[in-house]
Amino acid sequence: MDKILEAVVMSSYPNNVKQGLVRRVIEAAKQPMDSEQCWSMLELSTKLYLTGDTKYKREIGKEVLEVYGHYHPEEFEEFFNVRFLLSLLQEGYGPLGKRSHYVLDYIQLGLQFVLESPSANSIFSLLRIEVLRKVCERPSPKQCAKISKLLTQHPQCIPTGKHQVLFCQQLIRCIGQFQCVSEGEEAIMEFLEQVNKVSGLLQRIWRTQTSAILPSLKELFAIISSTEEQEAPSNALASVVQFVPLELMDGVIRNLTNDDSITDVQMMTAIGRMIDWVSWPLGKNIDKWIIALLKGLAAVKKFSILIEVTLSKIEKVFSKLLYPIVREGALSVLQYMLLSFQHSHEAFHLLLPHIPRLVASLKKEDSNSATSSLEQLAELIHCMFFRFSGFPDLYEPVLEAVKALPIPNEDRIKHLLGQNAWTSQKNELACFYPRLVSKSETGKIGLINLGNTCYMNSIIQSLFMASDFRHSVLNLTEGNSQPLMTKLQWLFAFLEHSQRPAISPESFLSASWPPWFTPGAQQDCSEYLKYLLDRLHEEEKTGKRIYQKLKESSLMSQAVEHHYLNKTLIEKMFGGKMMTKIRCLKCLNVSSREEAFTDLSLAFPPPDRHTRGSTSVLPVEQIGPRFIEPPENPSQLTGSPWVQRKAPKAADPAAPPVLVETLGFQEPGEAANPLRGDAVGVDTAKDPLSAFGEQACAPKDSRSVPDLINYFLSPERLTAENKYHCEKCASLQDAEKVAELTEGPHYLILTLLRFSFDPRTMKRKKILDNVSIPVVLKLPVLVTPEETEEVCRCGKDRAAPGSGFVSVVYDLCSVVVHSGISSESGHYYCYSRECTDIVPHEQPRDATPKPASDKQLDFEIQWYLFNDTRVSFSSFESVSNVTSFFPKDTAYVLFYRQRPGRQGCLLHEALAEAGRLHSEPSLHKDLMEAISKDNILYLQEQEKEARNRAAYISTLPKSPLWWRDFDRDKDDDNSSGGCSPAAGGGGSGSFHGLVF
């Protein structure tokens, strides 16, 4: 009968004809027959099943085997013996080089017919040993899946005891080597099914034998933490973790993170590979395990590992949000990574270029998953904006992308940030500075935040960018008996010459710390600045004089020399003088007092106060369209306390003039001194600065810095409870108080008083009004008759005849921005630029100022944005618009530099001469040596870090470039080339691109 069956199968008849003949043979096989005939039929069916070159032949072999196993059990048991099975498993079946791949299927088929036979136990024992041996040989995913199918159907064949633990460990090692050889979707689905069968077997074993779980996990960790493997283990290992009971998580993580035998490199490698598992589509609870291990590492303060892994993996995790099948897990991991990485903006900033594209992709997808993810992503982004404010230029595109999405309230943001921080100890991460590999492309150096010290960092950078002050500090001689100034000199010198991308101001912080400040708490940068300048001033008063070169100036008269030599550096650079006058409204007696200042604190006028209608004798102005126009008939001003601020529009000759109030005192019946327009006017046809008035001008519905200064200089009525005690009247009387500037500082510091005490809440609240900041500012300064000649000689804006006022021009050089709603919280950063004289000091004999060239225009001077360690290029446009984009980011402290002229002209000339002699300030020997040594040390640190990183990176998985997910053209489904996993295929939805 076997010969007949073989002839039929091998014949060329059509399959339907063959099937009829085979049916007869199978029916005959159900009848009793001798052992020899049975044996022959079993051999033939075995041959057909194992070596048949078509599926039809294998199916016939299977049918015959099942018939003989069912109707001739004794003969089948005799044929299906231990020796035969051992031969199949160890030697295979078929000719050399063409061994059958169906041995395991064949054994699984035959086992069902010998389960009750006497030889069953012997077969099970054999298979327990052989499957372990097979697994140790690292079979392919397909063969491994067949072993798993066999053992799942016949659990009696699963190794027992110690062999069972070893089997689980070796099976995990097999999974670690799984690779999908094809990129077709069918092949990938088949691969995923095979992996699921293998990991499913592990789940079955762990359910019945929980003692095998921990050894299995130990083996898994050994695989993913290995730094010796040439290739990274397969992401299919993620399928193993999903079956580990979650109740074991705490114990497993605790053991791992407290195991001293595990090196940092091993732990870093392991967690890095686990994070790659977020791309595994069939995993459950993988994100929970990843987050648990990250939290475990934070609990034992392994911050260096967390930082390195986060920075190297966060972009890859982010890219997986493109794929709905893994989006939920990837988003959970991303949320924890970002919300926990609170010591630096670095991780969040890595994602900024990719966020707009991802948001656009999710909006286009328009699914429930995409909508939910968008809302969670927007919440996450706003948390990062809140935590890392001060980067308006970087954040604008992201803010534009998410502007239509819900914004979480501040309580929610604080809850999320507080819940996920690595540590509650603010100083624990002080040594883990952002990983900056080189200096900023700007050439400037950042300052490390030592725990809410951004208030100090922004002030130091503003002072450093005040070039005249910086040069004076750097030119200090050694042994100047000024310890704080010496520390500032060292800090400035390192900011100027260090090779580091950022330096620590720790030494200067400890020396300049106001005693009432709370360590680790946010402070008021204006308060710190005032304290610092006062300390430096008082220190110099008791020490040596600094500016000895001014004494040698031949331009100085003895009186002027005495005046300047008695000034400290702080007074020369930041000191101004102000005259406060009080006039009794009854007897008209005027008392006055002159006092020095280093900054002007500008309050906000009440909402009902229109400051533009009440300004000083020379109104504070910003260069541009809002200039003072000479009146057509100057005689109109005689006897009137009003002057015309703005000329009527040409199209409307009858338009009423915009008036400004004079602040000079005026006897009853006495005419006010007429203010000639040519004294303070700006000819826009000749002055190139008028070209940027449009940018400098304030919007009509917002306040400007000139508005606040005019309010500061406007007269104040002292009445009711505030009555003035007049010495002449010897009683309390109504009076008028006014402030006049009598000496303009070289650097004018303006503090906008944004923080006020709210008696209802008993807290300081912040005024969030947007204030327009002019790039060029004119300030009225009172001059004495003796100074008039000097004013004219210096070529300054001319004094108004008889008025005693002169218009002093200032250029904006720094803006310190406060981000937040309270002085006790938030963040400080600053915009700065190097201000130089745009008009040369040397003037023609006729004292007519030379016009600035186009290259000297203020708007072409480069602006920089200083935000702790990060320094970047910026622009005045960013300075002007920051509050428009980020309402909580408001200008707080402004630095202006005076242009040469008037009483400051001698100082300007002295500084210019010093600049020519010392274009690069010469540092004393000890300071130069300290900088040189630190630069060498930094290079050595960089070299060591590079070696360590190279060793670590060599162990990272060699996966395809993750960023191609973002670079694909979403609108071109037929695109091919380097962006898709395989030329001509792939696309953004490529399944293979996701899994591997």
Side-chain angles (χ1 to χ4, degrees):
M1 190 178 291
D2 58 300
K3 299 296 182 184
I4 297 172
L5 179 61
E6 186 173 11
V8 170
V9 172
M10 300 300 176
S11 70
S12 58
Y13 294 130
N15 281 349
N16 58 343
V17 175
K18 288 183 184 180
Q19 192 63 37
L21 296 173
V22 169
R23 212 26 66 203
R24 292 183 182 181
V25 172
I26 289 175
E27 288 299 322
K30 295 179 181 179
Q31 306 302 318
M33 60 177 64
D34 57 59
S35 296
E36 186 177 349
Q37 185 62 46
C38 284
W39 196 277
S40 298
M41 285 296 288
L42 287 169
E43 283 183 336
L44 176 60
S45 58
T46 297
K47 179 182 176 182
L48 288 173
Y49 186 86
L50 291 175
T51 61
D53 55 1
T54 65
K55 186 177 180 181
Y56 175 72
K57 292 178 182 178
R58 292 196 297 275
E59 286 295 327
I60 290 174
K62 180 183 177 183
E63 274 193 81
V64 173
L65 281 169
E66 288 176 338
V67 168
Y68 277 82
H70 187 75
Y71 291 97
H72 306 282
E74 293 180 2
E75 288 77 4
F76 188 90
E77 182 183 340
E78 185 182 350
F79 178 81
F80 200 79
N81 59 63
V82 171
R83 182 175 296 179
F84 175 59
L85 294 181
L86 182 61
S87 172
L88 284 177
L89 290 166
Q90 293 190 351
E91 300 173 15
Y93 188 95
L96 287 173
K98 291 186 178 180
R99 297 294 192 191
S100 174
H101 299 297
Y102 301 100
V103 170
L104 291 169
D105 304 270
Y106 176 82
I107 292 174
Q108 183 181 339
L109 176 65
L111 273 178
Q112 60 184 312
F113 302 111
V114 298
L115 294 176
E116 304 299 329
S117 69
S119 62
N121 287 332
S122 300
I123 293 174
F124 295 155
S125 297
L126 170 69
L127 289 175
R128 290 188 197 110
I129 295 170
E130 285 302 305
V131 293
L132 178 56
R133 183 184 64 78
K134 279 280 186 185
V135 167
C136 291
E137 291 175 354
R138 304 291 180 264
S140 67
K142 189 173 184 178
Q143 291 299 312
C144 230
K146 289 181 178 181
I147 292 174
S148 300
K149 186 178 178 182
L150 169 66
L151 298 183
T152 301
Q153 189 170 343
H154 302 289
Q156 307 95 318
C157 303
I158 297 174
T160 56
K162 292 181 179 179
H163 286 171
Q164 188 177 77
V165 172
L166 181 60
F167 176 76
C168 290
Q169 292 173 329
Q170 293 303 315
L171 199 58
I172 290 171
R173 287 208 168 265
C174 281
I175 298 174
Q177 293 189 355
F178 284 179
Q179 297 296 334
C180 184
V181 295
S182 173
E183 294 187 355
E185 192 163 322
E186 288 185 8
I188 293 174
M189 294 303 296
E190 183 182 1
F191 174 73
L192 293 175
E193 186 179 352
Q194 292 163 356
V195 173
N196 218 28
K197 285 181 180 177
V198 179
S199 57
L201 174 63
L202 281 171
Q203 180 191 26
R204 183 185 182 94
I205 295 174
W206 290 346
R207 278 179 179 171
T208 58
Q209 196 67 37
T210 55
S211 60
I213 297 177
L214 292 180
S216 300
L217 291 180
K218 189 174 182 180
E219 190 70 17
L220 173 63
F221 187 82
I223 295 169
I224 62 175
S225 64
S226 173
T227 58
E228 299 173 359
E229 301 292 336
Q230 292 297 318
E231 290 189 9
S234 170
N235 281 348
L237 286 170
S239 64
V240 175
V241 177
Q242 65 181 327
F243 296 123
V244 180
L246 291 179
E247 55 266 25
L248 297 178
M249 182 183 287
D250 288 344
V252 170
I253 298 299
R254 190 164 52 250
N255 289 338
L256 279 178
T257 53
N258 287 283
D259 189 341
D260 294 334
S261 66
I262 300 173
T263 67
D264 284 358
V265 174
Q266 288 175 322
M267 183 62 78
M268 199 180 301
T269 305
I271 187 62
R273 287 168 173 167
M274 281 183 69
I275 290 172
D276 287 343
W277 293 351
V278 296
S279 63
W280 186 253
L282 299 179
K284 296 177 182 177
N285 299 327
I286 293 173
D287 56 323
K288 293 183 176 66
W289 280 95
I290 294 171
I291 293 170
L293 183 52
L294 291 172
K295 287 182 176 179
L297 290 171
V300 294
K301 297 178 174 53
K302 298 277 188 175
F303 300 127
S304 57
I305 296 175
L306 290 167
I307 291 170
E308 188 67 41
V309 167
T310 301
L311 295 178
S312 63
K313 294 294 182 181
I314 194 164
E315 290 174 280
K316 187 170 184 178
V317 173
F318 184 81
S319 72
K320 300 308 170 189
L321 299 183
L322 287 168
Y323 303 96
I325 195 170
V326 296
R327 185 175 291 153
E328 184 179 353
L331 186 56
S332 295
V333 175
L334 179 72
Q335 283 175 322
Y336 179 76
M337 291 175 86
L338 273 182
L339 291 171
S340 62
F341 202 91
Q342 292 186 31
H343 72 289
S344 163
H345 54 72
E346 217 173 342
F348 177 51
H349 285 193
L350 287 174
L351 305 181
L352 294 180
H354 314 302
I355 291 174
R357 283 179 285 174
L358 176 68
V359 170
S361 178
L362 292 176
K363 286 180 178 177
K364 187 177 178 182
E365 182 182 315
D366 193 26
S367 65
N368 290 336
S369 168
T371 303
S372 173
S373 298
L374 271 175
E375 291 177 357
Q376 293 179 65
L377 184 63
E379 182 177 71
L380 192 57
I381 289 169
H382 283 289
C383 285
M384 295 298 99
F385 283 167
F386 182 87
R387 181 64 185 87
F388 303 116
S389 55
F391 301 95
D393 298 351
L394 287 177
Y395 292 168
E396 279 180 25
V398 177
L399 193 65
E400 182 69 21
V402 301
K403 65 181 181 181
L405 298 170
I407 300 175
N409 61 43
E410 192 168 324
D411 290 339
R412 170 68 176 164
I413 290 174
K414 289 179 177 179
H415 170 73
L416 289 171
L417 291 171
Q419 190 179 36
N420 292 281
W422 281 340
T423 173
S424 58
Q425 301 300 315
K426 294 179 181 177
N427 295 324
E428 296 219 26
L429 288 166
C431 59
F432 296 101
Y433 306 132
R435 186 184 64 190
L436 300 169
V437 293
S438 61
K439 249 187 183 181
S440 160
E441 60 180 352
T442 64
K444 305 296 182 185
I445 296 175
L447 289 169
I448 293 166
N449 192 315
L450 303 174
N452 279 329
T453 58
C454 54
Y455 67 90
M456 178 187 72
N457 290 350
S458 57
I459 291 299
I460 289 175
Q461 294 287 18
S462 298
L463 292 174
F464 178 79
M465 292 297 284
S467 53
D468 299 331
F469 178 64
R470 178 177 76 245
H471 287 140
S472 299
V473 172
L474 291 176
N475 277 320
L476 283 172
T477 56
E478 194 174 2
N480 52 60
S481 303
Q482 298 176 62
L484 184 57
M485 186 68 84
T486 300
K487 285 187 180 293
L488 183 62
Q489 181 189 42
W490 278 63
L491 183 56
F492 278 6
F494 271 83
L495 284 174
E496 184 98 4
H497 299 288
S498 177
Q499 293 300 311
R500 295 181 183 274
I503 60 175
S504 170
E506 185 173 3
S507 176
F508 188 76
L509 173 66
S510 60
S512 63
W513 185 284
W516 61 89
F517 276 15
T518 305
Q522 185 61 277
Q523 306 294 343
D524 188 328
C525 76
S526 173
E527 187 178 3
Y528 173 77
L529 174 60
K530 289 174 184 176
Y531 176 80
L532 175 61
L533 295 181
D534 186 59
R535 277 276 309 276
L536 293 171
H537 168 69
E538 292 298 328
E539 187 178 82
E540 187 182 350
K541 278 175 66 176
T542 59
K544 294 182 177 181
R545 301 286 191 268
I546 293 189
Y547 255 10
Q548 295 300 325
K549 287 195 176 293
L550 291 176
K551 185 178 181 180
E552 302 166 4
S553 173
S554 59
L555 297 173
M556 286 189 179
S557 65
Q558 288 187 353
V560 174
E561 178 184 338
H562 178 77
H563 178 70
Y564 277 101
L565 288 179
N566 284 333
K567 281 192 168 187
T568 65
L569 178 60
I570 299 304
E571 286 178 308
K572 293 170 192 172
M573 292 294 165
F574 306 103
K577 289 185 179 177
M578 183 167 51
M579 181 78 72
T580 303
K581 298 179 181 179
I582 302 178
R583 180 177 62 177
C584 174
L585 294 181
K586 181 179 180 181
C587 68
L588 302 181
N589 181 57
V590 177
S591 64
S592 60
R593 184 180 78 252
E594 188 176 54
E595 50 194 356
F597 67 88
T598 53
D599 80 313
L600 295 180
S601 298
L602 305 180
F604 283 72
D608 57 346
R609 171 91 182 226
H610 300 289
T611 60
R612 293 180 186 176
S614 57
T615 60
S616 58
V617 173
L618 285 188
V620 179
E621 44 175 334
Q622 47 197 14
I623 299 296
R626 295 180 66 249
F627 59 91
I628 301 174
E629 189 72 28
E632 293 180 9
N633 184 1
S635 64
Q636 292 175 353
L637 298 177
T638 306
S640 170
W642 304 94
V643 293
Q644 188 171 348
R645 178 68 186 266
K646 188 171 183 179
K649 296 180 182 178
D652 184 12
V658 179
L659 304 174
V660 290
E661 181 182 353
T662 59
L663 298 187
F665 293 121
Q666 179 181 326
E667 296 296 332
E670 180 186 342
N673 291 317
L675 196 60
R676 283 210 331 238
D678 60 353
V680 292
V682 178
D683 186 349
T684 54
K686 296 179 181 178
D687 193 339
L689 290 173
S690 63
F692 37 82
E694 184 177 346
Q695 294 188 54
C697 231
K700 291 182 180 179
D701 58 346
S702 70
R703 299 190 186 280
S704 67
V705 170
D707 290 338
L708 301 189
I709 299 177
N710 284 328
Y711 178 61
F712 176 82
L713 297 176
S714 63
E716 178 187 358
R717 282 295 181 104
L718 304 177
T719 59
E721 295 179 357
N722 293 325
K723 280 188 177 183
Y724 166 68
H725 184 274
C726 177
E727 293 182 359
K728 192 173 181 180
C729 299
S731 62
L732 292 174
Q733 298 292 339
D734 289 346
E736 188 176 59
K737 178 181 177 183
V738 70
E740 295 172 342
L741 300 179
T742 57
E743 185 178 319
H746 183 60
Y747 283 102
L748 172 67
I749 300 175
L750 303 176
T751 301
L752 311 188
L753 297 178
R754 291 190 173 276
F755 302 110
S756 60
F757 183 75
D758 188 344
R760 292 175 299 175
T761 61
M762 301 301 288
K763 291 182 180 179
R764 291 178 75 192
K765 65 177 182 179
K766 181 178 177 182
I767 301 171
L768 295 171
D769 294 5
N770 192 2
V771 176
S772 176
I773 304 169
V775 70
V776 181
L777 182 72
K778 281 192 174 184
L779 201 64
V781 176
L782 184 68
V783 294
T784 61
E786 293 79 13
E787 291 178 302
T788 304
E789 182 181 346
E790 183 66 31
V791 170
C792 294
R793 188 186 73 78
C794 287
K796 192 63 185 170
D797 279 350
R798 285 155 289 180
S803 70
F805 280 92
V806 70
S807 188
V808 181
V809 180
Y810 282 90
D811 297 297
L812 181 68
C813 52
S814 288
V815 178
V816 178
V817 177
H818 177 264
S819 176
I821 58 171
S822 166
S823 61
E824 288 82 24
S825 62
H827 179 62
Y828 289 100
Y829 57 95
C830 75
Y831 292 93
S832 288
R833 61 174 181 163
E834 295 262 9
C835 269
T836 54
D837 300 329
I838 66 168
V839 180
H841 296 292
E842 296 82 2
Q843 303 291 352
R845 292 183 181 180
D846 61 0
T848 303
K850 293 181 181 178
S853 66
D854 290 341
K855 291 184 179 179
Q856 291 170 320
L857 292 180
D858 276 12
F859 277 88
E860 294 191 4
I861 299 176
Q862 180 63 59
W863 282 89
Y864 302 94
L865 176 57
F866 294 89
N867 192 342
D868 290 335
T869 54
R870 188 179 186 277
V871 187
S872 58
F873 289 116
S874 192
S875 65
F876 183 69
E877 183 181 7
S878 179
V879 179
S880 304
N881 296 334
V882 62
T883 307
S884 302
F885 283 101
F886 303 93
K888 294 179 184 177
D889 292 27
T890 53
Y892 183 38
V893 179
L894 314 177
F895 286 72
Y896 280 88
R897 180 182 183 272
Q898 184 187 147
R899 289 190 191 170
R902 198 181 156 260
Q903 76 253 64
C905 70
L906 294 177
L907 178 57
H908 271 282
E909 290 172 3
L911 290 171
E913 181 65 24
R916 285 192 288 271
L917 295 175
H918 304 284
S919 57
E920 188 70 30
S922 57
L923 306 177
H924 58 77
K925 184 180 177 182
D926 288 351
L927 185 47
M928 291 175 65
E929 287 181 356
I931 294 172
S932 178
K933 286 180 181 178
D934 185 69
N935 285 340
I936 293 172
L937 177 63
Y938 172 66
L939 293 176
Q940 292 171 344
E941 290 171 358
Q942 288 295 95
E943 184 180 355
K944 182 179 179 181
E945 183 182 347
R947 285 199 300 266
N948 292 341
R949 279 190 58 74
Y952 164 66
I953 290 172
S954 66
T955 67
L956 292 177
K958 307 294 190 300
S959 55
L961 301 179
W962 59 265
W963 55 80
R964 65 185 180 192
D965 295 330
F966 289 111
D967 293 336
R968 296 185 182 121
D969 185 353
K970 303 297 179 190
D971 299 322
D972 184 7
D973 294 332
N974 298 318
S975 62
S976 62
C979 287
S980 53
S988 65
S990 169
F991 201 41
H992 192 273
L994 160 65
V995 183
F996 313 102

